[in-house]
Amino acid sequence: MDNTNNILEVNNLKKFYPIRGMAIGKRKSYVKAVDGVSFSIKQGTTMGLVGESGCGKTTVGRTILRLHEITGGEVKFEGRDLSKLSGRELRRLRPQIQMIFQDPFSSLSPRLPVGEIIGEAVKEHKIVPKSQYRSYILKVMRDCGLQPQYFYRYPHEFSGGQRQRISIARAVALNPKFIICDEPLSALDVSIQAQIINLMKDLQDQFGYTYLFISHDLSVVEHISDTIAVMYLGSIVEMGEKKKIFANPMHPYTKALLSAVPVSDPDIKMNRIILTGDIPSPANPPSGCKFRTRCQHAMPICAEREPVFKAYEDEHQVACHLYPQE
């Protein structure tokens, strides 16, 4: 596989949280929020990371940014291992990797006007000279669909969609190369979601941004992504090009997720796959295949051996005992 154009490479990433309150003498236990995740993203493309709530999607994004310290594995951004950077080196790199958070209201300071929210980090990292500061912020606002008169207004004066535009403007104002989008549409109405998706695609076309788009909504991910990774209980179970994932889903979990996507044509009846049981605890995952306790195709070997994550066609990988493991 050609890695020359990869802006981000994640190799066997792990993030474990120790369980507090353990009895003295007992073996220390961990919540394995992210357990051996590997993927790469090419410059200027979008990778969608999907899965049920609690599967570890957001933790992957925050660990890449080192908002959470890495337990194991490596995260390489343009060839540099972020886990080995000092605090000073990481601070210098921060403008190049930004994040758009899920809730635009709680992620924006209620005490600052829009101009300062967008420009606070611009000043800190000296992105432009002081003489150009105001004109630069106004340009960023225009690029994100915000009117100049919003410069002195506060977040509570805006709708949810406008607040998310402010969050996007705050991220792109630093001229980043890579942006992690943590479910940026889940708090918005459907009509507003389409506007924000189109804005993000327009910005990507204009400035060449690379996105990691975290979501549980496959219909949104299909619209914006080039590649898709499906995550379950801290691990990626299937990954590939968007067209291949939607045309030929291989993992039973992916098939179940796709069966729940609404179809606009009332004459088409989807064969809905209902998953039985609850998601196991990441502190005590099942042996072998983590999905076997909810899988209708589970076999004895699924409990004995963890399936190998391998490619069965070009740019399409899956971890499942339904396919040859050798």
Side-chain angles (χ1 to χ4, degrees):
M1 185 179 292
D2 182 18
N3 296 328
T4 55
N5 294 327
N6 291 341
I7 190 171
L8 185 80
E9 295 180 15
V10 177
N11 300 312
N12 198 31
L13 180 65
K14 297 181 180 181
K15 179 57 188 176
F16 299 167
Y17 297 95
I19 298 176
R20 297 179 180 177
M22 298 291 295
I24 296 175
K26 279 195 173 184
R27 185 179 178 182
K28 198 169 187 179
S29 297
Y30 296 88
V31 173
K32 297 180 179 180
V34 179
D35 191 9
V37 165
S38 299
F39 60 84
S40 60
I41 307 178
K42 292 188 181 298
Q43 173 74 47
T45 66
T46 300
M47 176 178 161
L49 185 60
V50 301
E52 294 172 288
S53 296
C55 70
K57 307 185 299 294
T58 294
T59 306
V60 168
R62 290 172 178 260
T63 306
I64 289 172
L65 270 174
R66 273 187 62 183
L67 298 179
H68 302 315
E69 285 302 320
I70 297 170
T71 301
E74 61 180 13
V75 177
K76 288 187 175 181
F77 176 74
E78 295 187 324
R80 301 179 67 187
D81 190 348
L82 299 185
S83 64
K84 296 179 180 178
L85 296 184
S86 66
R88 180 176 294 180
E89 291 173 321
L90 190 62
R91 184 179 179 277
R92 284 201 296 264
L93 194 67
R94 285 287 186 208
Q96 298 182 42
I97 309 175
Q98 288 298 298
M99 191 165 191
I100 301 168
F101 295 93
Q102 180 175 357
D103 183 3
F105 190 72
S106 61
S107 66
L108 301 176
S109 172
R111 295 182 175 87
L112 296 179
V114 168
E116 285 192 45
I117 289 173
I118 298 171
E120 189 176 26
V122 172
K123 288 180 179 177
E124 180 68 23
H125 291 281
K126 298 179 174 61
I127 302 299
V128 293
K130 288 183 179 180
S131 60
Q132 300 175 20
Y133 169 77
R134 181 178 168 82
S135 60
Y136 176 75
I137 299 302
L138 290 174
K139 178 186 178 300
V140 171
M141 291 173 64
R142 285 194 299 271
D143 289 341
C144 295
L146 297 167
Q147 300 299 318
Q149 60 266 30
Y150 296 166
F151 192 94
Y152 294 108
R153 294 187 184 177
Y154 290 82
H156 71 271
E157 300 180 65
F158 296 92
S159 66
Q162 288 173 318
R163 283 198 289 265
Q164 197 59 288
R165 287 177 184 269
I166 297 168
S167 297
I168 293 171
R170 178 177 59 182
V172 303
L174 294 172
N175 293 325
K177 296 180 179 179
F178 177 58
I179 302 176
I180 298 172
C181 312
D182 182 16
E183 302 207 37
L185 309 179
S186 61
L188 307 178
D189 294 337
V190 175
S191 60
I192 306 300
Q193 288 182 7
Q195 295 177 21
I196 298 300
I197 289 177
N198 290 334
L199 169 63
M200 293 180 67
K201 292 184 74 173
D202 289 344
L203 290 171
Q204 186 177 47
D205 292 340
Q206 186 176 354
F207 300 107
Y209 299 137
T210 305
Y211 295 139
L212 173 62
F213 194 91
I214 299 168
S215 179
H216 61 270
D217 190 337
L218 275 165
S219 59
V220 170
V221 169
E222 181 183 16
H223 190 70
I224 196 171
S225 300
D226 299 293
T227 57
I228 294 175
V230 181
M231 196 167 176
Y232 182 81
L233 207 65
S235 301
I236 291 177
V237 297
E238 186 167 1
M239 181 167 60
E241 293 180 349
K242 173 182 64 177
K243 292 180 180 179
K244 293 181 178 180
I245 295 290
F246 278 84
N248 180 33
M250 298 179 69
H251 199 280
Y253 180 59
T254 308
K255 293 178 181 179
L257 291 179
L258 287 173
S259 74
V261 177
V263 178
S264 57
D265 190 342
D267 295 326
I268 297 179
K269 292 186 178 180
M270 295 294 293
N271 182 22
R272 179 71 190 274
I273 301 173
I274 306 297
L275 296 178
T276 58
D278 297 323
I279 301 176
S281 169
N284 186 27
S287 60
C289 175
K290 296 178 181 179
F291 185 63
R292 66 176 175 82
T293 58
R294 305 173 72 195
C295 181
Q296 59 184 345
H297 304 290
M299 303 174 287
I301 193 172
C302 299
E304 299 169 5
R305 190 180 306 167
E306 184 178 352
V308 178
F309 188 72
K310 60 179 291 188
Y312 292 91
E313 57 178 340
D314 187 36
E315 300 295 335
H316 193 172
Q317 299 167 281
V318 67
C320 184
H321 284 293
L322 291 174
Y323 308 97
Q325 295 290 287
E326 299 300 327

